[in-house]
Amino acid sequence: MKGLGLEGRVAVVTGGAGGIGAAICADLAGLGAHVVVADVERDAAAAVADGLGGTAAYVDLGDPDGIDAFTADVGPVDVLVHNAGISIVEPFTESDPAHWDLMWRINLRAPMQLTRALLPGMTARGWGRLVFVSSDGARAGSGGEGAYAATKAGLFGLAKTLAREAARGGVTSNVVCPGPTDTPMVRRVAERHPDLLDRLARQVPLRRIGTPDDVAGLVAFLCTGRAGYITGQTLSVSGGITMQ
Ligand SMILES: NC(=O)c1ccc[n+]([C@@H]2O[C@H](COP(=O)([O-])OP(=O)(O)OC[C@H]3O[C@@H](n4cnc5c(N)ncnc54)[C@H](O)[C@@H]3O)[C@@H](O)[C@H]2O)c1
């Protein structure tokens, strides 16, 4: 298929050292982009970047000053994948407001701050790609993830607004919603609930949970020239859990 190459493009992937993030980095690098693996886990980010000929960059997305330092340093960016996220699972009526604040900062405020800093360069150059990794939990609800789902649902409104505001600058803005996906994030919860992965798989029409590659393929495609007429969309990669 023609039009898939990202040669000469610089792609920042937040949370690029994690399960889905590392797969996105690999696919973008495979399409020819220079990938900046932006993560709070220095060693893991360096390992991913080294394997791909990319660059590792430390950033704590919970720290607005740290985000400013990152954007001041990173140089021109063509592709910005907001993939980093955290989920603290607890019934909403017992949830800790300090956890709401942490998830708001990392899952929603950080994408806002990064985009505010890096989007003007994309529109000035007339080409760019924004991809927001949200969650099917925000589309369909997810027990124990009320605050998480609220932050992830905020990305829908942000991405659609940016799709309208940045379209004339040649920038697309889309949201990808993974369903349950086999990554360290899910494995951490499964340690406390040993039957979790089987239970989740039974709820999926395709009868398995996702892999990082399942999600990365769509994210990477949305970053290519071939996806230049797709903007303002919210797409699930969840084996059919959410159909709309
Ligand atoms: N795994 C799933 O089932 C699932 C489902 C729906 C949505 N998601 C979303 O997909 C994205 C990737 O999740 P994953 O499953 O690969 O998780 P993961 O825990 O494997 O990776 C998350 C990455 O984000 C990084 N990160 C966390 N806090 C950070 C911070 N303050 N600053 C910078 N980096 C930080 C982590 O170091 C890690 O590398 C997340 O946004 C998550 O909410 C995952």
Side-chain angles (χ1 to χ4, degrees):
M1 196 191 296
K2 59 184 192 286
L4 294 179
L6 287 172
E7 290 81 8
R9 306 286 189 196
V10 173
V12 167
V13 181
T14 69
I20 293 171
I24 294 170
C25 290
D27 278 354
L28 291 174
L31 293 171
H34 180 85
V35 177
V36 178
V37 184
D39 207 291
V40 71
E41 296 290 341
R42 288 179 200 272
D43 293 348
V48 172
D50 288 352
L52 302 172
T55 306
Y58 172 83
V59 62
D60 178 356
L61 296 173
D63 170 17
D65 292 340
I67 296 174
D68 280 343
F70 169 76
T71 55
D73 258 18
V74 72
V77 171
D78 306 297
V79 171
L80 178 53
V81 180
H82 299 283
N83 162 76
I86 61 162
S87 172
I88 301 169
V89 180
E90 49 199 1
F92 188 71
T93 52
E94 294 158 30
S95 62
D96 181 345
H99 294 163
W100 307 349
D101 292 341
L102 191 59
M103 286 187 274
W104 142 245
R105 283 208 307 279
I106 294 171
N107 295 352
L108 183 53
R109 190 188 190 287
M112 292 167 71
Q113 188 179 348
L114 285 167
T115 304
R116 191 171 187 278
L118 298 175
L119 177 58
M122 294 182 194
T123 53
R125 292 186 297 279
W127 195 95
R129 295 287 183 266
L130 301 171
V131 180
F132 298 83
V133 179
S134 176
S135 172
D136 250 24
R139 300 190 95 176
S142 173
E145 292 195 301
Y148 169 80
T151 60
K152 290 293 192 178
L155 295 173
F156 302 154
L158 176 63
K160 288 178 188 177
T161 300
L162 292 168
R164 293 185 187 281
E165 291 186 0
R168 275 194 231 161
V171 177
T172 65
S173 171
N174 292 290
V175 182
V176 172
C177 292
T181 307
D182 192 356
T183 70
M185 177 185 263
V186 166
R187 293 269 165 186
R188 281 191 291 274
V189 182
E191 278 169 17
R192 298 195 305 277
H193 307 280
D195 63 337
L196 179 74
L197 298 184
D198 287 342
R199 254 193 307 124
L200 290 171
R202 283 198 296 274
Q203 292 165 20
V204 179
L206 284 172
R207 283 294 184 275
R208 64 170 177 86
I209 69 167
T211 67
D213 281 346
D214 289 327
V215 181
L218 176 60
V219 172
F221 175 70
L222 289 170
C223 296
T224 66
R226 205 57 193 269
Y229 201 55
I230 301 171
T231 196
Q233 302 305 305
T234 300
L235 299 161
S236 287
V237 182
S238 59
I241 291 179
T242 300
M243 298 191 187
Q244 58 187 23

